[in-house]
């Protein structure tokens, strides 16, 4: 059996016997240890429960009920919840709320696993089932992380670590596919002539009278042969915009750059697919599935969870998750990111991206914690912030892939130039995502009336 799998499928009242080193600590920035192992990676298709089945935002329910209040909003009773939601929580025990949510997510996990096995050769069906499987795994893992004091901690830590391993393994294939699609679309956008139809028309209009005059002189014998060709080339170059040579160099290397990226990312996706198949057939995965099956019928809450009301036990832990998020956001350079075209994100230093990735994980932890207490409500600010940070993550990883491809030995200068332009384009996307996150997170001051 793979190390780390032994004991995962045991009941919560039995010794787990797993190694202590499985518990992840994540990034140290932001003061939120364990956030990375609790949430791992998100979906690369935007399907994370933020949108409903029809693609509409879940910020408001279809029947018109108000959304769950955000922390610090008007009318807040100190717990970050509306008064009616707090009353509902006070009428139930922490064990009932926590166990009910874990039962639901575990059932979704097992249902997705069955659909994945039944998909067979249907690649699209298998991919959708894998996304739903990871979606349930992330929520179980995040719940066990945030509400850890209300569970059997040793059992919850080990299951959370194993679910993080599974979610990360299954996410790599879809990440490679999404990254390839993003980079190919960016290359097409950067080199496409359809977006600039007026440039060639303007060049033709400017050069057409000169060509007519040269034609008259050529018929009278004033300019013939190479001299006429040189004059025509110089006239055309003088009437062409200065950016045209750069566009020509980009177009020359874009095809080879696209082929290089396609080859590298397809190979990475193939390897990720093989790793996912190997993981799904391993004894370690079967141990995780057995543990989730036990969780679907018998959650492992601590004894104190059955004695305390949900309104007393759950909101302080959710508030702690939100406080960690607020501290991590406070460490971000939002004042500079709030200015458009600030060029702070254009460097390829991955260390500056790490705090933003950490905040993305903490946003999910806070959103999932609120989902446990009131699943029929949603926090629109957390949902929008999560979308902006997923955009940031996708653009940063795409830029890193372009930079890695540019380091390939013995590539043509035009190919390297195209990859450099592509890298800069994706880093501009990173900058735009940071700006969007700041617009969502920071309070907006009302405009003064003149």
């Amino acid at each position: 059996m793979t190390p780390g799998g032994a004991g995962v499928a045991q009941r919560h009242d039995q010794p787990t016997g797993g190694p202590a080193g499985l518990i992840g600590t994540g990034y140290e920035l932001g003061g939120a240890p364990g956030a990375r192992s609790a949430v791992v990676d998100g979906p690369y298709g935007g399907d994370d429960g933020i949108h409903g089945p029809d693609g509409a935002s879940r910020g408001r329910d279809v029947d018109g009920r108000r959304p769950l209040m955000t922390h610090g909003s008007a009318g807040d009773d100190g717990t970050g919840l509306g008064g009616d939601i707090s009353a509902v929580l006070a009428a139930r025990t922490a064990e009932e709320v926590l166990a009910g949510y874990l039962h639901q997510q575990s059932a979704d996990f097992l249902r997705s696993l069955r659909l994945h096995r039944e998909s067979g050769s249907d690649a699209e069906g298998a991919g959708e089932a894998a996304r739903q499987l990871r979606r349930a795994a992330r929520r179980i893992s995040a719940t066990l992380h945030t509400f850890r004091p209300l569970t059997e901690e040793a059992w919850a830590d080990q299951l959370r670590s194993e679910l993080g391993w599974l979610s990360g393994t299954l996410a790599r294939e879809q990440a490679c596919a999404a990254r390839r699609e993003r980079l190919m679309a960016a290359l097409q956008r950067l080199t496409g002539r359809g977006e600039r139809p007026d440039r060639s028309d303007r060049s033709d209009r400017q050069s057409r009278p000169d060509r007519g005059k040269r034609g008259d002189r050529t018929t009278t014998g004033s300019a013939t042969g190479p001299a006429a060709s040189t004059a025509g080339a110089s006239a055309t170059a003088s009437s062409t915009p200065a950016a045209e040579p750069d566009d020509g160099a980009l177009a020359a290397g874009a095809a080879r750059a696209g082929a290089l990226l396609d080859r590298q990312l397809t190979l990475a996706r193939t390897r990720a697919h093989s790793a996912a198949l190997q993981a799904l057939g391993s004894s370690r995965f079967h141990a995780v599935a057995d543990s989730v099956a036990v969780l679907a019928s018998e959650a492992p809450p601590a004894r104190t969870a059955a004695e305390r009301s949900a309104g007393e036990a759950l909101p302080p832990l959710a508030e702690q998750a939100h406080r960690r998020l607020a501290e991590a956001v406070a460490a971000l350079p939002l004042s500079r990111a709030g200015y458009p075209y600030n060029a702070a994100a254009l460097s390829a230093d991955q260390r500056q991206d790490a705090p933003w990735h950490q905040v993305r994980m903490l946003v999910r932890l806070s959103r999932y914690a609120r989902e446990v207490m009131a699943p029929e409500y949603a926090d629109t600010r957390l949902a929008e912030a999560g979308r902006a940070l997923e955009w940031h993550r996708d653009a940063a990883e795409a830029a890193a892939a372009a930079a890695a491809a540019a380091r390939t030995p013995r590539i043509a200068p035009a190919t390297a130039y195209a990859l450099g332009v592509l890298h800069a384009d994706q880093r501009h996307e990173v900058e735009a995502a940071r700006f969007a996150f700041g617009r969502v997170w920071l309070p907006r001051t009302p405009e003064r009336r003149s």
Side-chain angles (χ1 to χ4, degrees), residues 420-441:
V421 173
L422 183 60
H423 175 269
D425 174 75
Q426 294 303 304
R427 293 308 302 183
H428 277 292
E429 292 284 329
V430 170
E431 178 185 333
R434 293 180 182 180
F435 176 78
F437 173 79
R439 298 273 292 179
V440 170
W441 187 264

Side-chain angles (χ1 to χ4, degrees), residues 191-268:
T191 59
R193 295 289 181 177
E195 300 177 0
R196 305 186 298 271
D198 56 331
R199 175 175 297 179
S200 59
D201 295 340
R202 183 170 61 251
S203 301
D204 292 339
R205 287 194 302 268
Q206 293 175 353
S207 59
R208 189 176 298 115
D210 296 337
R211 286 198 302 269
K213 295 178 181 179
R214 288 195 305 272
D216 294 340
R217 288 194 300 268
T218 302
T219 54
T220 59
S222 58
T224 58
S229 302
T230 304
S234 59
T236 305
S238 63
S239 63
T240 303
E244 192 69 27
D246 292 339
D247 291 343
L250 178 59
R256 293 183 178 180
L260 178 61
L261 287 170
D262 180 73
R263 183 168 62 253
Q264 292 183 349
L265 293 176
T266 301
L267 177 61

Side-chain angles (χ1 to χ4, degrees), residues 26 29 71-72 91 96 112 147 157 173 179 253 259-260 311 317 360 378 395 427 429 438:
L29 296 174
H71 294 266
E96 292 174 348
S112 302
F147 301 102
D157 287 343
E173 179 183 359
R179 197 171 304 136
L260 178 61
L317 296 175
R360 176 178 62 86
R427 293 308 302 183
E429 292 284 329

Side-chain angles (χ1 to χ4, degrees), residues 5-144:
V8 179
Q10 296 179 3
R11 294 172 56 88
H12 65 274
D13 54 349
Q14 296 177 349
T16 57
L22 288 177
I23 302 174
T25 57
Y27 295 111
E28 294 299 329
L29 296 174
R36 181 168 178 81
S37 60
V39 188
V40 194
D41 255 332
Y44 289 82
D47 182 14
D48 191 33
I50 298 178
H51 296 278
D54 55 351
S57 174
R58 287 178 54 189
R60 295 181 179 84
D61 292 338
V62 293
D63 56 358
R65 290 179 292 179
R66 64 178 178 84
L68 188 65
M69 285 185 176
T70 57
H71 294 266
S73 57
D76 199 344
D77 60 358
T79 63
L81 303 173
D84 51 347
I85 303 301
S86 298
V88 172
L89 290 177
R92 304 175 63 188
T93 64
E95 179 183 5
E96 292 174 348
V97 175
L98 199 58
Y101 184 80
L102 290 175
H103 290 338
Q104 177 185 356
Q105 299 303 324
S106 301
D108 291 343
F109 181 96
L110 297 175
R111 187 182 306 109
S112 302
L113 178 59
R114 178 177 56 82
L115 292 176
H116 188 274
R117 290 174 176 173
E118 293 176 353
S119 60
S121 59
D122 183 9
E124 184 177 355
E128 179 62 28
R131 281 189 289 270
Q132 296 299 325
L133 188 70
R134 290 189 295 108
R135 181 179 183 272
R138 283 193 308 274
R139 279 165 167 76
I140 296 173
S141 180
T143 302
L144 296 178

